[in-house]
Amino acid sequence: MAVKEVLRAHTATHENASAETKGEGGHASSVAPAATVAAGRAAQELGIRRAEFELAVHLGLIAVLGAPGGGRPRVHEDEIARLREQPGFPDALVERVRTVGTAQGAALLDIAPARFTRLARAGCVSPVTFYLNRYRAVVWLYLADELAAFAAREPELLAGRTPPGMRAMLESGADWRARNWRSQRIDRLLDRTTDPWARTAVQASALDPVQLAEVVDDPYERAYLVRVRPEPVFGRPGSMAAREAMAELVLADDPDEILWRRVNLTLELDSAREDRPAPRPGDDGGDSATLPARTGARPRAVRPAPAAAPLAPPACAGAPRSAVGGRTARRGLLARLGWRGRGAG
């Protein structure tokens, strides 16, 4: 019996020493890897639906870990434990990701659906996501929490006559829903990375190929931006119609917005070039893919004042902060970039 115990102790000591040696050589480690679970399992442990889980990740409420080799992101068990320990779990988490459409949003604010639509078109409330109905029309969804905050912040916009400035803007056909959705989407993608080239790629994703080539005239840099562009970790549209709708909605479509995205792209591109050059064919890890033809010319780099941003929706103090700016600043940027906008001769 004593001999067997000695042998077991010797074997255990040998295995521990072998594990430590492998760890020093880089092949193995004596430290156990961090415990993670798949997204579906994490949603179950948090007691929320998969769609609610994905929206929580998009909003930055749940931290995820990138899987090696580009696999599906996973969630650390410590993150699940942190969320479960929060007050009001899980109802509080569910409420933070609860979304409503136009009819439910109007009921929540105790206004008519038509008035809710006008407020959304004017940029007073911003959609967080969308889906396509059976007619392939975009249906915007809003965070219930944000609607409640807007009602508390701007009660005068929920009753009475529409402010003249807002009424004139709506009569001209303005619609800020897609623009505000794009702005929030870009901000959240930027929050997930500090890499200069990845941040540049996020800004570039809002411009069509012609606009992009005018700002980034180097085809190798454009190819690199495609490679490093961060994508939403969850919630990618599955159907072809949804992918086509997403591809259209992510692109800036107003002269003011296009200008603002060009300015931000120029600034991020300058920072990325200062950090490191984009790889060329033949470099280690260089991009060997077929590159688009070189077109256009890159405008002179500018560094505008932080307040110079697209014109905000008039008479709507609840508009996103990133959309606040003035006509004077806008004209100054137009002149410095040599940008005339669509339809200019």
Side-chain angles (χ1 to χ4, degrees), residues 82-159:
R82 180 189 69 83
L83 293 166
R84 292 176 64 90
E85 292 172 358
Q86 291 184 346
F89 174 85
D91 294 340
L93 178 60
V94 172
E95 184 61 25
R96 293 182 70 182
V97 297
R98 183 165 69 94
T99 57
V100 295
T102 297
Q104 291 176 304
L108 182 64
L109 300 182
D110 196 22
I111 59 177
R115 190 180 190 97
F116 181 92
T117 299
R118 289 197 298 271
L119 291 173
R121 286 180 53 203
C124 297
V125 293
S126 301
V128 68
T129 187
F130 70 91
Y131 69 90
L132 298 184
N133 63 16
R134 60 180 176 176
Y135 305 107
R136 295 191 175 185
V138 172
V139 178
W140 295 109
L141 297 176
Y142 307 81
L143 283 175
D145 260 4
E146 290 188 356
L147 295 184
F150 166 74
R153 187 175 63 247
E154 306 288 344
E156 66 278 3
L157 293 178
L158 303 181

Side-chain angles (χ1 to χ4, degrees), residues 273-306:
R273 286 169 171 168
E274 292 173 2
D275 181 74
R276 66 182 186 275
R280 294 294 200 263
D283 295 345
D284 291 339
D287 191 349
S288 59
T290 301
L291 297 173
R294 180 175 180 136
T295 59
R298 180 172 175 271
R300 178 170 55 88
V302 296
R303 295 187 179 275

Side-chain angles (χ1 to χ4, degrees), residues 304-316:
L311 188 63
C316 185

Side-chain angles (χ1 to χ4, degrees), residues 158-334:
L158 303 181
R161 296 177 60 84
T162 301
M166 183 187 297
R167 186 167 60 250
M169 183 186 71
L170 293 173
E171 289 174 353
S172 71
D175 190 341
W176 280 68
R177 288 175 293 185
R179 180 171 180 169
N180 282 344
W181 171 79
R182 278 190 294 272
S183 179
Q184 291 191 1
R185 178 178 181 273
I186 288 174
D187 288 345
R188 285 166 181 143
L189 288 174
L190 289 174
D191 286 342
R192 293 179 189 156
T193 181
T194 58
D195 179 74
W197 281 102
R199 294 178 62 84
T200 304
V202 171
Q203 298 289 357
S205 66
L207 296 175
D208 63 36
V210 174
Q211 295 284 344
L212 178 59
E214 291 181 355
V215 180
V216 187
D217 64 339
D218 188 321
Y220 297 109
E221 289 182 336
R222 294 200 300 274
Y224 189 48
L225 293 178
V226 173
R227 287 176 51 195
V228 302
R229 180 176 59 208
E231 295 290 346
V233 291
F234 294 109
R236 296 183 182 89
S239 68
M240 179 61 70
R243 288 196 296 270
E244 291 174 351
M246 174 68 80
E248 181 177 349
L249 287 173
V250 296
L251 297 179
D253 59 3
D254 180 86
D256 276 342
E257 184 187 8
I258 292 171
L259 169 64
W260 184 235
R261 292 303 164 197
R262 286 170 64 113
V263 169
N264 283 317
L265 174 57
T266 299
L267 296 177
E268 294 285 2
L269 182 62
D270 287 345
S271 297
R273 286 169 171 168
E274 292 173 2
D275 181 74
R276 66 182 186 275
R280 294 294 200 263
D283 295 345
D284 291 339
D287 191 349
S288 59
T290 301
L291 297 173
R294 180 175 180 136
T295 59
R298 180 172 175 271
R300 178 170 55 88
V302 296
R303 295 187 179 275
L311 188 63
C316 185
R321 184 174 58 181
S322 60
V324 176
R327 291 186 182 273
T328 302
R330 182 172 67 94
R331 292 195 187 103
L333 279 175
L334 292 174

